[in-house]
Amino acid sequence: MEASSHDVLLVGGGGAGLRAAIAAAEVNLKLSIAVVSKVYPMRSHTVSAEGGAAGVAKSDDSLDEHCYDTISGGDWLCDQDAVEAFVKEAPQELLQLERWGCPWSREPDGHIAVRAFGGMKKRRTWFAADKTGFHMLHTLFQTTLKYPPITRYDEWFVTKLLVDDGRVQGVVAIELMSGKIRAITAKAVILCTGGCGRVFPFTTNANIKNGDGMALAYRAGAPLKDMEFVQYHPTGLPFTGILITEAARAEGGYMLNKDGYRYLQDYNLGTPQPKPVLRSMELGPRDRLSQAFVKEDQKGRTIQTPYGPIVHLDLRHLGEKLINAKLPFVRELCQKYQNIDPVRELIPVRPVVHYMMGGVSTDIDGATPLAGLYAAGEVACVSINGANRLGSNSLPECLVFGARAGRAAAAYAATQQVPDGKVFAQANDERRRLETQFLFRTGGHERIATIREEMQKTVETSAGIYREHASLAKATHQLRELQRRFGDISLDDHSRTFNTELESALELGFMLDVAESIVQCALHRTESRGAHQRTDYPARDDNKFLAHSIVSRNFDGSSRVEYLPVKITRWAPGERVYGETSKEQSKSTPIRQAV
Amino acid sequence: MADKIILEVARYSPERDAKPSFQSYEVPVYKEWVVLDALNYIKDQVDGSLTYRWSCRMGICGSCGMMVNGEPKLTCATFLSSYAHNGSKVRVEPLRYFPVVRDLVTELSDFLVKLTKVKPWLIRHDEPPLTQGEFLQTPDQLDRYKQFSMCINCTLCYAACPVVGLDPVFVGPAAIALAQRYNMDSRDQGTEERTAVLAHPEGIWGCTFVGECTRVCPKHVDPAGAIQQYKLKAALDWVKSFVMPGEHKSKDVRSEAAND
Amino acid sequence: MCAVKQPTTRTAPAYTEFHPRWYRPQVSVYWWLFQRQYLKFILRELSSVFVAAFVVITLLQLNALRNGPEAYARFQQWLQTPAAIALNVVSFCFVVFHAITWFNLAPSAMAVRLRGKPLPDFMVAAPNYAVWLVVSGAVAWLVLR
Ligand SMILES: Cc1cc2nc3c(=O)[nH]c(=O)nc-3n(C[C@H](O)[C@H](O)[C@H](O)COP(=O)(O)OP(=O)(O)OC[C@H]3O[C@@H](n4cnc5c(N)ncnc54)[C@H](O)[C@@H]3O)c2cc1C
Ligand code: SF4
Ligand code: FES
């Protein structure tokens, strides 16, 4: 079997992957670094992030306040040592990106401009109009072009991690263009494969976000963490699920029910003001806003459409000038995909699956419990997002922990030998598996799309915004049944060249594993916290569940869930308060406490 | 409403075919369906072997460019209903002028080589430490290059440019626009290095100003404008080098001034 | 840290064993015929020939002038032949076409900014047209006076 070998190998060329590649290259320009990505790096989903990236920048702000907002926003499920490191390094990373040419929006005097964002008490979100992720990703990608040690494997699909001797030594990947199945060995592997929104039917996530990295790690024996915490974003366009960024609300947009009433005031989120107030009303955290929508729907105060119930986002009072200057992409998306103009019309929106708080369990340097395997970005759970991520924390997370993982992996690689022949036997087995089970397979009865849709429906009805025991238990069985049916899929495409059907089938396999881990974690956490709301256990239970769910795979393929206490440094668990009262709350923190 | 429409899709399998042929599929038309939705419908329900690229379905990743009825389009941003006149057919082909890998998938590595060639990164002669904070840049200075920084690398402009078709070594619109994006950035000091690459028959002088690239660009990047600006500047530099020999190094004044 | 050496890109556009047959479409010789925009472009390119024709005619005229009144009269006579008139009319049309498209390009080539704001396109093109009209007017006045 053909193979190539590198020091550090990155799976994924999004924000986290490219940042990690540069970090590793800067540790030592002599290292050989590989970026393997199933799409050209600038197509990665980081490109679609709109709103911005948080990092303390102005003199009225402080690191502690950013920590507090993040931790309370995460309903005290964040590891506070990780949050402190994150908050401290985020501004440096954003500044570094500026040095690489990122076109951040500016103040009239030429300094970086920052905007307000949901759940943040101070203005600290750096932005590049409303195409922040796009500009960050292209800046990073273009910057990587000047680093000779970085080799790219564009449009290579990773199917398996090679593990031998208790450590990860490379991957098996398919070159889509040619259909070649090859081992790419490395002394250290960093997973940066992004989230898994496509496990759900209605998501802001791109077609490539299938939880590949989570499943790869899980199958290789690295545990996943906090998989039950799935973020719904309150404002997605119906039908497509395209995101209308939170920046639209930060600039002053209103959420209106069918009577034109700002309904969030009924849900403990403050009283309506004409101008946006930080951490209040429309600028409350995403989980609360999405939950308010469900309640509003139950009261019959939403509008019914063929694509489910909706409410309205109103930007009309902001005026054309502001919308064009600060929210041009929002206007473009509404016009191109919804055929409405937000300058004059209300935008129909509904909650939509957006972000995965959970992921591959890592420490503060991105290292997983499995030697040689690192993870960063949305695929990882460090964890700084706890039970609910604050908007604009995840782009800087990709940078901070991407860089950390890159440096850590480079250091680890320096202590390791080049992988030996044993992994090639494994790689050959994998090639045979891909060929017999998929590529040359004949017969079979199930269409990929059918199983995918049923899986999405199962996960949505059991692990949606509100959950309860009965439906989660039922979903456990349904997913097992779907796994079985997946063994009987029929494939039309037997070509080696750019076989996207093979890719979809493998992605579906990954998603089924991820779906199972989500449902299992949700089933076992019998409390409500952040994005995980159990109707049968509506209260937060700090005695039992101030802990991360850790889900790993047993030898027989079943899963087990264990718990790992949350790391608390300076902020004792408190009540999450939004609206007016949040001001007093913030004064009393941080509280020093020994835990 | 489920009207039907015929989608004629170019199919090419390198293992089987000598050249592409068309295959027709009947697909339903819904008001909110884009051409990409129709392709996904075919792949999911009818023929799993149909091959094309897509990802974000929101016009930002740049994967889904194809020829729709002879025009380069982002298929995720092109409503099917705009073609759905009685019994009409919609023809979907791979982007013109690119080698075809399979069905609707084009070969892109050549484009990436060209992109890399123009040095699309911020070039600085000095590297002040991060502790000195950001390079200052006023909103006006940002505005000067902003438009050129909007390129999503969808390559529609290449498919619109006959020069690309006739002269494969031509660097092409998006790459030149990207070079201009950095040239116009007040923080950059690399204009000269890039001009060395681009003031060349394979670079800006290859362009005969057809202007189609600008017309088809879904992100209003105006690559044709970038090329013309570049030409004007290169021509003026050339004249200047006669009038004031040895003085043409003064180009970087702009970027220095911005960093006080 | 600026390790700017040769940029590395993995693949040269080369064939490998697994995909020996990318389909390389041929560009037809008549590519410009099938699309209005392309046709317009080719006509514009073609118009340069007529711009040149005008120049040649003017040069011939000067030459005739230098060779004395007789030669000049002969030249003027030629100018009145139907062929010459046709040539001139066609050339005139093409030159006007050329001039208009040329001026419409000006805003693309010159990003003129006033107090930090880019000038709208027509503001860049308009002065060009104005100068054109003034010069043409002046010439017409000189000739027809
Ligand atoms: C619409 C939208 C808007 C958002 N807005 C914001 C915002 O305003 N602020 C904010 O902070 N966050 C935002 N987010 C979240 C944030 O964008 C993401 O969490 C972040 O970009 C994830 O980056 P990543 O590098 O981890 O993964 P991605 O950018 O998703 O990259 C994943 C990479 O992995 C590769 N890959 C995956 N599987 C495989 C495989 N099997 N083999 C090979 N390669 C593989 C892919 O090719 C890709 O290169 C937004 C998210 C969405 C969806
Ligand atoms: S310049 Fe426009 S058309 Fe060309 S690649 Fe960029 S976005 Fe696409
Ligand atoms: S799918 Fe991303 S641009 Fe169309």
Side-chain angles (χ1 to χ4, degrees):
Chain A
M1 174 181 261
E2 268 187 81
S4 43
S5 186
H6 299 276
D7 292 308
V8 178
L9 183 150
L10 288 118
V11 187
L18 295 177
R19 182 65 190 94
I22 298 176
E26 288 195 339
V27 167
N28 181 354
L29 281 173
K30 292 212 183 66
L31 287 181
S32 142
I33 295 154
V35 177
V36 185
S37 174
K38 65 180 176 181
V39 294
Y40 277 94
M42 69 280 188
R43 316 278 191 230
S44 304
H45 201 54
T46 299
V47 81
S48 67
E50 300 168 19
V56 171
K58 302 288 166 178
S59 54
D60 68 339
D61 198 0
S62 69
L63 298 181
D64 277 356
E65 284 173 280
H66 190 185
C67 285
Y68 178 76
D69 285 349
T70 304
I71 292 164
S72 62
D75 220 351
W76 278 273
L77 198 70
C78 315
D79 280 343
Q80 299 185 0
D81 56 342
V83 174
E84 289 191 61
F86 161 70
V87 163
K88 182 156 164 271
E89 287 165 31
Q92 293 158 29
E93 284 294 331
L94 297 172
L95 198 58
Q96 177 63 66
L97 219 57
E98 195 278 332
R99 290 296 184 81
W100 285 330
C102 186
W104 295 117
S105 292
R106 302 286 178 151
E107 308 275 11
D109 66 1
H111 285 286
I112 298 292
V114 285
R115 68 165 35 135
F117 231 68
M120 300 275 188
K121 208 160 34 197
K122 291 280 164 64
R123 286 170 195 278
R124 62 171 76 98
T125 297
W126 304 38
F127 60 104
D130 55 359
K131 292 195 177 172
T132 310
F134 164 80
H135 285 300
M136 282 178 52
L137 185 66
H138 279 252
T139 303
L140 280 168
F141 176 65
Q142 287 155 13
T143 303
T144 58
L145 296 177
K146 74 179 186 191
Y147 286 91
I150 302 176
T151 308
R152 290 202 325 272
Y153 292 79
D154 295 337
E155 302 195 318
W156 285 63
F157 184 90
V158 174
T159 68
K160 185 185 165 66
L161 296 177
L162 293 170
V163 190
D164 187 52
D165 204 13
R167 68 186 177 95
V168 171
Q169 308 196 9
V171 301
V172 176
I174 309 173
E175 184 184 28
L176 291 176
M177 175 80 82
S178 67
K180 263 186 241 166
I181 299 168
R182 275 181 37 177
I184 310 173
T185 61
K187 297 172 184 166
V189 172
I190 313 180
L191 292 172
C192 303
T193 56
C196 59
R198 288 272 156 176
V199 171
F200 289 79
F202 192 64
T203 173
T204 60
N205 285 193
N207 184 43
I208 55 170
K209 302 202 59 166
N210 317 91
D212 302 15
M214 297 170 191
L216 286 170
Y218 184 62
R219 291 175 183 180
L224 306 180
K225 192 201 278 170
D226 289 340
M227 293 298 285
E228 64 273 44
F229 296 100
V230 179
Q231 179 166 77
Y232 275 77
H233 194 291
T235 56
L237 292 179
F239 180 61
T240 54
I242 289 172
L243 178 83
I244 298 303
T245 168
E246 195 159 302
R249 281 171 283 133
E251 296 298 338
Y254 300 149
M255 300 286 293
L256 305 176
N257 68 11
K258 74 170 194 212
D259 308 317
Y261 172 70
R262 289 175 73 183
Y263 63 92
L264 294 176
Q265 57 189 289
D266 298 354
Y267 300 95
N268 260 331
L269 283 158
T271 45
Q273 308 291 332
K275 289 264 180 284
V277 177
L278 300 171
R279 272 175 76 101
S280 162
M281 288 295 290
E282 281 83 1
L283 287 183
R286 293 174 178 176
D287 54 342
R288 289 289 185 79
L289 263 61
S290 298
Q291 289 151 17
F293 173 90
V294 178
K295 297 261 168 67
E296 198 67 5
D297 186 44
Q298 285 161 355
K299 291 182 195 157
R301 301 202 302 199
T302 57
I303 301 151
Q304 301 304 316
T305 73
Y307 304 105
I310 58 141
V311 288
H312 281 130
L313 175 64
D314 185 0
L315 303 183
R316 295 171 304 178
H317 56 285
L318 301 180
E320 181 162 2
K321 212 170 135 206
L322 187 139
I323 291 177
N324 282 346
K326 297 270 182 70
L327 305 167
F329 195 39
V330 167
R331 192 171 184 197
E332 182 187 327
L333 289 171
C334 288
Q335 288 175 326
K336 284 221 183 106
Y337 294 89
Q338 201 72 34
N339 214 357
I340 57 160
D341 184 355
V343 170
R344 280 181 298 277
E345 290 161 282
L346 296 168
I347 309 172
V349 291
R350 57 164 282 183
V352 44
V353 168
H354 183 52
Y355 183 83
M356 189 63 192
M357 268 73 77
V360 181
S361 178
T362 75
D363 69 9
I364 198 165
D365 284 315
T368 71
L370 185 58
L373 184 66
Y374 295 75
E378 194 171 339
V379 68
C381 180
V382 179
S383 61
I384 64 154
N385 297 311
N388 172 56
R389 168 184 76 107
L390 287 195
S392 77
N393 262 356
S394 82
L395 288 174
E397 177 187 359
C398 288
L399 298 174
V400 169
F401 292 101
R404 278 177 163 252
R407 287 190 291 263
Y412 174 82
T415 66
Q416 297 300 313
Q417 302 296 314
V418 178
D420 60 20
K422 267 184 270 167
V423 290
F424 294 115
Q426 271 187 43
N428 260 322
D429 290 347
E430 172 69 357
R431 179 173 55 78
R432 231 164 289 135
R433 178 184 81 97
L434 293 173
E435 288 176 349
T436 52
Q437 289 188 20
F438 296 98
L439 201 55
F440 302 143
R441 170 197 189 85
T442 49
H445 300 90
E446 300 279 358
R447 283 203 81 82
I448 295 176
T450 315
I451 298 186
R452 188 169 55 214
E453 273 158 33
E454 283 186 35
M455 170 200 69
Q456 290 170 336
K457 219 168 77 204
T458 307
V459 181
E460 168 94 339
T461 42
S462 60
I465 297 179
Y466 285 98
R467 300 137 177 212
E468 44 107 21
H469 179 86
S471 59
L472 286 165
K474 191 168 147 214
T476 309
H477 294 292
Q478 287 171 323
L479 286 175
R480 213 162 292 152
E481 175 61 13
L482 286 171
Q483 283 277 13
R484 192 194 58 71
R485 285 169 58 191
F486 178 64
D488 188 34
I489 50 168
S490 86
L491 297 174
D492 298 335
D493 194 346
H494 305 289
S495 164
R496 292 240 182 218
T497 314
F498 222 97
N499 192 329
T500 47
E501 194 184 34
L502 170 64
E503 190 183 343
S504 306
L506 294 170
E507 286 169 346
L508 177 57
F510 289 148
M511 285 195 286
L512 284 167
D513 284 358
V514 172
E516 181 188 281
S517 70
I518 293 174
V519 168
Q520 288 313 307
C521 287
L523 181 67
H524 285 84
R525 186 177 285 271
T526 48
E527 64 153 357
S528 288
R529 182 187 295 272
H532 174 70
Q533 295 291 316
R534 290 277 300 250
T535 48
D536 45 356
Y537 297 92
R540 192 172 92 188
D541 181 356
D542 281 345
N543 284 330
K544 254 177 98 181
F545 288 111
L546 195 60
H548 303 292
S549 317
I550 300 288
V551 53
S552 1
R553 176 172 256 194
N554 296 323
F555 279 119
D556 64 356
S558 64
S559 58
R560 66 174 185 281
V561 182
E562 294 151 318
Y563 292 92
L564 182 76
V566 168
K567 286 199 199 100
I568 303 225
T569 58
R570 293 157 59 199
W571 291 273
E575 187 90 43
R576 277 175 88 199
V577 189
Y578 293 93
E580 289 72 41
T581 31
S582 72
K583 283 188 204 105
E584 288 118 60
Q585 174 78 15
S586 63
K587 268 186 224 137
S588 63
T589 53
I591 317 157
R592 285 216 170 264
Q593 165 153 0
V595 176
Chain B
M1 101 161 213
D3 279 346
K4 300 273 184 182
I5 193 170
I6 303 287
L7 217 61
E8 291 184 330
V9 186
R11 304 294 310 260
Y12 169 68
S13 155
E15 283 116 333
R16 276 202 321 266
D17 310 332
K19 63 184 188 38
S21 57
F22 284 98
Q23 191 164 347
S24 296
Y25 301 92
E26 194 179 52
V27 293
V29 185
Y30 296 95
K31 191 172 105 246
E32 45 288 279
W33 270 27
V34 289
V35 174
L36 180 63
D37 289 312
L39 292 173
N40 284 338
Y41 169 85
I42 297 170
K43 187 163 185 75
D44 285 350
Q45 310 299 337
V46 188
D47 184 351
S49 72
L50 183 64
T51 305
Y52 51 95
R53 292 188 179 103
W54 73 288
S55 175
C56 72
R57 57 84 183 85
M58 56 191 279
I60 192 78
C61 76
S63 314
C64 68
M66 296 167 209
M67 305 300 292
V68 180
N69 280 356
E71 277 268 313
K73 291 275 187 197
L74 290 183
T75 48
C76 72
T78 305
F79 283 109
L80 203 56
S81 53
S82 54
Y83 298 93
H85 322 297
N86 278 345
S88 51
K89 292 181 179 173
V90 181
R91 214 164 230 243
V92 185
E93 296 164 89
L95 284 179
R96 191 164 45 196
Y97 305 136
F98 287 92
V100 182
V101 175
R102 184 173 170 196
D103 292 357
L104 300 163
V105 173
T106 56
E107 209 289 318
L108 278 183
S109 57
D110 182 48
F111 169 68
L112 268 113
V113 171
K114 287 171 175 170
L115 213 57
T116 310
K117 211 165 149 183
V118 306
K119 307 194 180 195
W121 50 80
L122 203 74
I123 297 177
R124 296 284 304 186
H125 304 319
D126 56 331
E127 288 278 352
L130 270 191
T131 47
Q132 283 189 15
E134 70 264 49
F135 296 139
L136 294 185
Q137 182 167 68
T138 64
D140 279 349
Q141 287 172 324
L142 174 65
D143 214 37
R144 274 165 212 255
Y145 69 89
K146 184 103 213 187
Q147 180 180 31
F148 301 135
S149 74
M150 293 297 191
C151 171
I152 60 171
N153 298 346
C154 66
T155 68
L156 297 196
C157 51
Y158 285 67
C161 175
V163 181
V164 167
L166 296 166
D167 179 10
V169 293
F170 177 45
V171 172
I176 300 178
L178 189 59
Q180 188 69 348
R181 172 248 176 275
Y182 281 99
N183 289 343
M184 302 292 285
D185 190 327
S186 57
R187 299 166 292 181
D188 182 78
Q189 302 170 338
T191 308
E192 238 167 285
E193 277 180 54
R194 285 186 208 99
T195 307
V197 181
L198 280 169
H200 198 273
E202 292 170 12
I204 50 175
W205 301 117
C207 166
T208 51
F209 208 93
V210 184
E212 279 294 273
C213 51
T214 290
R215 198 178 59 84
V216 301
C217 174
K219 297 290 143 183
H220 312 293
V221 174
D222 190 12
I227 302 175
Q228 297 323 298
Q229 287 176 22
Y230 219 131
K231 281 182 185 167
L232 194 65
K233 187 182 160 307
L236 288 177
D237 281 354
W238 183 75
V239 173
K240 256 190 245 162
S241 71
F242 279 101
V243 183
M244 308 177 280
E247 280 255 326
H248 63 286
K249 285 239 153 89
S250 61
K251 265 177 280 181
D252 276 343
V253 168
R254 181 176 48 81
S255 26
E256 274 143 34
N259 281 306
D260 43 359
Chain C
M1 68 167 235
C2 234
V4 191
K5 272 195 237 143
Q6 271 301 301
T8 48
T9 313
R10 178 178 59 88
T11 37
Y15 294 114
T16 75
E17 51 161 302
F18 269 80
H19 48 96
R21 292 201 298 157
W22 292 337
Y23 174 70
R24 287 184 179 272
Q26 295 292 314
V27 180
S28 146
V29 188
Y30 304 108
W31 58 271
W32 47 274
L33 263 180
F34 307 118
Q35 206 170 324
R36 226 183 47 129
Q37 298 292 334
Y38 284 177
L39 189 64
K40 190 172 147 202
F41 162 72
I42 286 292
L43 287 179
R44 198 186 122 64
E45 295 285 285
L46 192 66
S47 66
S48 326
V49 175
F50 293 95
V51 175
F54 255 154
V55 174
V56 170
I57 291 172
T58 313
L59 285 176
L60 286 177
Q61 191 163 18
L62 284 176
N63 192 40
L65 200 57
R66 202 191 56 177
N67 290 347
E70 206 169 304
Y72 193 69
R74 230 182 306 127
F75 182 79
Q76 284 210 313
Q77 218 162 27
W78 174 77
L79 273 185
Q80 276 155 21
T81 61
I85 289 174
L87 178 69
N88 268 316
V89 168
V90 173
S91 298
F92 179 74
C93 293
F94 270 107
V95 170
V96 168
F97 177 71
H98 190 97
I100 289 175
T101 46
W102 177 254
F103 289 149
N104 286 349
L105 297 186
S108 282
M110 299 188 287
V112 184
R113 302 173 75 89
L114 195 66
R115 276 188 234 105
K117 296 271 168 295
L119 274 187
D121 283 358
F122 77 92
M123 296 272 279
V124 182
N128 283 298
Y129 280 107
V131 172
W132 187 31
L133 281 179
V134 169
V135 173
S136 302
V139 171
W141 180 74
L142 270 176
V143 174
L144 301 176
R145 185 167 50 128

